[in-house]
């Protein structure tokens, strides 16, 4: 029995890890773009971006999953393509949601860099792009590692929410057993998340240590 | 001929007029100190000359080239502005070193980025980079920092950090070096080492403009002193004379307050 449960749960957890990985890969760069939008000097873009971020952060991710899953079909009569449209819908909802959260972390990080760093770059004849990528960015990264690690730990746990649109992730797999009268697999899923977060903690500690050589 | 000419610079922030028409000029190899109480506009003046603020009107010429013309309202080309920027260097009150680079890289970063734009960069890359490094090492040696080239700014004292930032500004070979209260962020026992460095630079005929509160130092190191008060130059003249024999009441009042 144990090996059957293990296999099923592991298969389910692969969905969690897949959703986690794709979301992370897409929303980390996308979040930076959203952050630039929300700091834009062009007022309409800034207002629009901040409004969008407010709407996404102000509504439940679960609701957003439903919207992405059912809106295209209900309103436009359009089906999400692909072999696993539910997973695709989950990825879209997660990427949008996490890009907005990341964008606020980026914005905080970027705004925490003293103006003097930009001014030093300028008087040394560096372009704005050079100053950002050569001087500011690594300091931002250092500043945002703690809040980012928080958010990324939340992400792996949030992936379970995708079961509301019937992505067969780990908790859904475990729930199938409890339907058959077997309750312990449900609690056992916790181990998977704990182990995963344990690895994340180690990785983030490494990154923090690595950036310890300077103080900004 | 004057290497720096500043004509009728005006600058307001909102309704507050910070600079009400400031003009002065400076010859090559000379040192000018700008003194005055806080809020007199001296730092704003420095920032206007260094493109950190845009003056509302006026004219600034460096070595015969107009680097700022308030009458010219056309959109400035970023590349041209950068080239003009490189004619002058600025040392900040708060050093503003780049924390993630070691001392040597702080000094060479901008120079290396500059070098990339040279047409012969690709062919002579190694040689160019070696030359840049060699020059930086020499500058750092002059600043007494040879031992510290691999240290990071957070491992240095304030005085050492400020010396790195002077080397960093010098590495771009500016025609004029500006200092914005270079010792104000330092403990009193550390100001001496920075003043010594500036004194040495003055001996090499480096043209410098120094905003400072160190009156004795200003009198000793500079050729000319400009006293700013309330957005205008209230008095200017040869350093010794101006400090020993102030003519205006405002400067007399300022100097007596300082010596208290």
């Amino acid at each position: 029995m144990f090996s059957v449960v293990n296999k099923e749960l592991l298969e389910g957890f692969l969905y969690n890890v897949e959703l986690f990985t794709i979301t992370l890969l897409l929303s980390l760069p996308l979040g930076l773009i959203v952050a630039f939008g929300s700091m834009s000097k062009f007022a309409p873009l800034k207002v629009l971006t901040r409004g969008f971020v407010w709407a996404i952060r102000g509504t439940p991710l679960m609701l957003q999953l439903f919207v992405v899953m059912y809106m295209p079909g209900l309103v436009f009569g359009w089906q999400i393509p692909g072999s696993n449209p539910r997973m695709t819908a989950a990825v879209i909802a997660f990427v949008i949601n996490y890009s907005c959260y990341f964008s606020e972390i980026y914005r905080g990080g970027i705004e925490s860099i003293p103006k003097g760093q930009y001014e030093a770059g300028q008087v040394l004849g560096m372009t704005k792009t050079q100053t950002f990528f050569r001087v500011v960015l690594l300091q931002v990264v250092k500043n945002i590692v703690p809040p980012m690690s928080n958010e990324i730990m939340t992400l792996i746990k949030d992936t379970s929410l995708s079961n509301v649109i019937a992505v067969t992730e780990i908790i859904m797999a475990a729930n199938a057993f409890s339907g058959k009268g077997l309750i312990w697999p449900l609690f056992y899923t916790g181990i998977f998340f704990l182990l995963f977060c344990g690895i994340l903690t180690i990785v983030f500690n490494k990154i923090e240590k690595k950036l310890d050589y300077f103080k900004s | 001929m004057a290497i720096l000419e500043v004509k009728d610079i005006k600058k307001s922030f909102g309704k507050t007029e910070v600079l009400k028409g400031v003009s002065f000029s400076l010859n090559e190899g000379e040192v000018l100190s700008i003194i005055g109480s806080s809020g007199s506009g001296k730092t704003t003046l420095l920032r206007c000359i260094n493109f950190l603020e845009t003056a509302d009107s006026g004219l600034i010429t460096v070595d015969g080239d107009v680097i700022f013309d308030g009458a010219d309202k056309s959109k400035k080309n970023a590349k041209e502005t950068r080239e003009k920027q490189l004619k002058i260097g600025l040392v900040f009150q708060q050093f503003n070193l780049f924390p993630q680079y070691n001392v040597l890289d702080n000094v060479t970063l901008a120079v290396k980025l500059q070098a990339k734009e040279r047409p012969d960069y690709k062919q002579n890359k190694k040689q160019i980079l070696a030359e840049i490094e060699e020059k930086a090492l020499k500058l750092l040696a002059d600043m007494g920092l040879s031992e510290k080239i691999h240290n990071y700014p957070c491992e240095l004292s304030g005085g050492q950090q400020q010396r790195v930032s002077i080397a960093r500004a010098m590495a771009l070979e500016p025609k004029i070096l500006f200092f914005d209260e270079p010792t104000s962020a330092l403990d009193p026992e550390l100001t001496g080492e920075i003043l010594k460095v500036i004194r040495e630079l003055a001996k090499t005929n480096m043209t410098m403009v120094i905003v400072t509160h160190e009156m004795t130092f200003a009198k000793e190191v500079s050729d000319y002193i400009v006293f700013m008060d309330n957005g205008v130059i209230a008095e200017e003249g040869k350093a010794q004379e101006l400090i020993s024999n102030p003519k205006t009441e405002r400067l007399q009042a300022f100097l007596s307050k300082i010596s208290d």
Side-chain angles (χ1 to χ4, degrees):
Chain A
M1 197 66 225
F2 186 69
S3 67
V4 176
V5 171
N6 249 344
K7 184 173 164 288
E8 292 276 307
L9 292 194
L10 200 61
E11 267 169 25
F13 198 58
L14 283 182
Y15 279 109
N16 297 79
V17 174
E18 186 186 345
L19 185 52
F20 171 87
T21 311
I22 300 175
T23 303
L24 205 56
L25 287 179
L26 293 179
S27 52
L28 279 177
L30 213 59
L32 191 59
I33 295 170
V34 177
F36 284 134
S38 66
M39 290 185 294
S40 172
K41 280 184 190 133
F42 181 57
L45 178 65
K46 179 172 147 178
V47 170
L48 210 71
T49 318
R50 291 205 176 183
F52 183 74
V53 172
W54 168 74
I56 294 296
R57 296 205 309 161
T59 54
L61 176 54
M62 195 188 277
L63 177 61
Q64 292 161 16
L65 282 162
F66 285 132
V67 169
V68 174
M69 183 68 213
Y70 299 119
M71 273 277 266
L74 286 176
V75 180
F76 307 107
W78 183 75
Q79 291 305 318
I80 295 171
S83 56
N84 190 350
R86 293 172 180 284
M87 187 64 176
T88 311
V91 165
I92 294 169
F94 269 79
V95 168
I96 294 173
N97 185 281
Y98 271 83
S99 297
C100 289
Y101 275 98
F102 288 158
S103 81
E104 286 296 283
I105 296 179
Y106 283 127
R107 190 166 69 87
I110 291 171
E111 285 174 351
S112 72
I113 303 302
K115 209 173 78 190
Q117 292 288 305
Y118 295 96
E119 291 183 347
Q122 190 194 327
V123 300
L124 292 169
M126 290 160 70
T127 64
K128 284 186 175 162
T129 321
Q130 285 171 340
T131 307
F132 184 78
F133 284 103
R134 306 269 179 161
V135 174
V136 174
L137 189 60
L138 192 65
Q139 296 180 53
V140 172
V141 170
K142 184 184 166 83
N143 287 349
I144 67 175
V145 169
M148 269 294 177
S149 71
N150 242 336
E151 209 52 47
I152 290 170
M153 294 245 233
T154 307
L155 171 59
I156 185 62
K157 291 170 285 171
D158 271 0
T159 55
S160 265
L161 275 176
S162 65
N163 84 34
V164 299
I165 55 167
V167 172
T168 53
E169 54 73 55
I170 186 167
I171 292 195
M172 180 174 269
N175 229 347
F177 287 105
S178 58
K180 294 173 201 154
L182 204 60
I183 198 75
W184 65 264
L186 204 47
F187 303 127
Y188 181 47
T189 59
I191 304 290
F192 287 79
F193 289 102
L194 278 174
L195 282 179
F196 197 90
C197 284
I199 295 168
L200 285 180
T201 308
I202 294 170
V203 170
F204 280 115
N205 281 346
K206 279 240 160 80
I207 296 175
E208 253 179 80
K209 266 237 167 76
K210 196 140 208 189
L211 292 173
D212 228 17
Y213 70 91
F214 73 89
K215 287 192 189 69
S216 61
Chain B
M1 200 194 85
I3 191 164
L4 172 68
E5 263 182 283
V6 174
K7 273 188 199 145
D8 205 25
I9 291 291
K10 289 183 181 158
K11 173 73 184 172
S12 303
F13 293 109
K15 281 190 180 139
T16 325
E17 199 176 17
V18 181
L19 297 175
K20 302 171 182 167
V22 175
S23 308
F24 66 88
S25 67
L26 183 65
N27 292 325
E28 190 161 7
E30 288 181 339
V31 179
L32 172 82
S33 287
I34 303 177
I35 60 173
S37 49
S38 316
S40 60
K42 40 191 202 321
T43 291
T44 306
L45 175 63
L46 212 60
R47 291 174 62 85
C48 283
I49 301 173
N50 282 278
F51 299 99
L52 294 175
E53 307 285 354
T54 311
D56 300 329
S57 65
L59 190 76
I60 302 170
T61 316
V62 171
D63 206 16
D65 295 324
V66 174
I67 64 163
F68 174 78
D69 184 356
D72 177 12
K73 296 290 180 201
S74 62
K75 196 110 171 89
K76 302 293 178 295
N77 174 321
K79 189 157 189 263
E80 271 173 37
T81 310
R82 268 193 301 131
E83 275 162 16
K84 288 172 181 168
Q85 184 107 52
L86 287 169
K87 290 175 185 287
I88 52 186
L90 175 63
V91 173
F92 295 89
Q93 181 178 346
Q94 302 291 348
F95 333 133
N96 294 340
L97 292 178
F98 305 137
Q100 74 269 43
Y101 291 105
N102 67 25
V103 166
L104 182 59
D105 291 341
N106 258 285
V107 177
T108 57
L109 177 68
V111 195
K112 283 181 178 167
L113 291 172
Q114 281 303 313
K116 275 194 181 170
E117 287 171 31
R118 280 165 58 168
D120 61 337
Y121 180 72
K122 281 213 172 109
Q123 296 141 358
N124 304 332
K125 190 173 168 184
K126 262 197 179 152
Q127 195 195 339
I128 290 174
L129 292 182
E131 277 169 19
I132 291 173
E133 194 146 317
E134 196 183 327
K135 229 181 69 191
L137 289 172
K138 191 180 171 302
L139 274 170
L140 287 167
D142 291 345
M143 299 289 154
L145 289 165
S146 293
E147 313 271 286
K148 300 283 180 191
I149 57 169
H150 295 301
N151 285 84
Y152 288 90
C154 62
E155 300 164 338
L156 304 178
S157 72
Q160 289 168 334
Q161 289 190 49
Q162 191 60 300
R163 279 185 277 153
V164 176
S165 88
I166 295 172
R168 182 175 72 170
M170 292 287 292
L172 287 155
E173 300 178 338
K175 292 204 156 49
I176 309 167
L177 190 54
F178 292 80
F179 293 83
D180 184 12
E181 303 188 23
T183 59
S184 294
L186 299 173
D187 294 335
E189 71 262 33
L190 296 177
T191 59
E193 62 183 79
I194 297 304
L195 300 183
K196 194 175 139 221
V197 166
I198 298 176
R199 229 174 261 135
E200 293 297 318
L201 283 176
K203 277 188 205 152
T204 65
N205 281 334
M206 183 75 208
T207 314
M208 293 186 281
V209 177
I210 309 165
V211 169
T212 184
H213 289 298
E214 302 281 336
M215 235 30 76
T216 335
F217 170 72
K219 181 177 164 187
E220 170 212 324
V221 81
S222 19
D223 300 291
Y224 292 95
I225 292 181
V226 159
F227 168 63
M228 284 193 68
D229 187 52
N230 210 5
V232 293
I233 294 180
E235 191 169 340
E236 60 187 307
K238 290 214 161 111
Q240 302 283 342
E241 229 173 277
L242 185 114
I243 299 282
S244 325
N245 196 6
K247 293 191 178 64
T248 57
E249 258 176 53
R250 285 193 280 182
L251 181 55
Q252 284 162 8
F254 175 72
L255 289 174
S256 72
K257 247 191 286 172
I258 293 262
S259 59
D260 279 349

